[in-house]
């Protein structure tokens, strides 16, 4: 794994994630972020680490960390809408209601018809 280029590490992680081998996926993604911090794939790796924490581990605090990391690093990136929605969902499931409400307002301001808009409205965002 230590000699694979960034794109191959991302493919390896994706394959492991679909096989529900979260440990192997996390290892590949962490390696990618360590070795290629400025590569576009590093942002995708951060988002995927959030998906693994949310979908496979039900670790909503950790998921929120990774979705927030993606947004900090790539606020206008190709996964920004999904990351913002997932951040809101992670915060809500982690019991962080005030943070989820703030994220809901931010989400609706940017994506009023987005896939997480119903959740944002349900959380009490205007």
């Amino acid at each position: 794994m230590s000699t694979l280029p960034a794109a191959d590490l991302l493919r390896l992680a994706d394959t492991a994630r679909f096989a529900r081998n979260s440990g192997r996926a996390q290892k590949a993604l962490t390696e990618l972020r360590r070795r290629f911090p400025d590569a576009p794939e590093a942002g995708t790796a951060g988002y995927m680490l959030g998906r693994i924490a949310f979908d496979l581990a039900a670790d909503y605090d950790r998921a929120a960390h990774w979705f927030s990391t993606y947004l900090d690093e790539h606020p206008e990136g190709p996964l920004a809408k999904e990351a913002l929605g997932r951040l809101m969902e992670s915060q809500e499931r982690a019991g962080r209601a005030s943070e989820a409400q703030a994220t809901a307002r931010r989400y609706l301001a940017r994506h009023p018809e987005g896939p997480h808009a119903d959740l944002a409205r349900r959380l009490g965002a205007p």
Side-chain angles (χ1 to χ4, degrees):
M1 196 178 321
S2 64
T3 61
L4 291 175
D8 288 348
L9 284 168
L10 197 55
R11 277 192 288 280
L12 174 63
D14 214 23
T15 301
R17 187 171 61 91
F18 284 122
R20 302 191 71 76
N21 186 341
S22 61
R24 184 155 178 90
Q26 288 174 331
K27 185 175 179 180
L29 295 168
T30 302
E31 178 76 6
L32 190 161
R33 288 185 57 83
R34 183 185 67 77
R35 288 183 40 222
F36 305 101
D38 298 323
E41 292 91 349
T44 303
Y47 176 82
M48 287 178 64
L49 284 163
R51 291 279 314 264
I52 290 167
F54 189 98
D55 295 336
L56 300 181
D59 186 342
Y60 304 117
D61 283 317
R62 186 154 180 79
H65 163 78
W66 282 113
F67 294 133
S68 183
T69 297
Y70 177 86
L71 291 165
D72 289 345
E73 294 174 354
H74 305 280
E76 302 300 324
L79 298 170
K81 182 190 326 181
E82 292 82 1
L84 189 57
R86 289 285 198 145
L87 172 61
M88 174 182 51
E89 192 175 6
S90 299
Q91 291 166 331
E92 191 247 347
R93 290 200 185 187
R96 296 160 46 185
S98 62
E99 290 177 52
Q101 288 174 341
T103 303
R105 286 189 293 278
R106 187 171 151 203
Y107 185 88
L108 286 174
R110 292 181 185 202
H111 313 289
E113 301 302 320
H116 287 89
D118 288 343
L119 173 61
R121 287 185 192 91
R122 193 179 84 235
L123 291 175

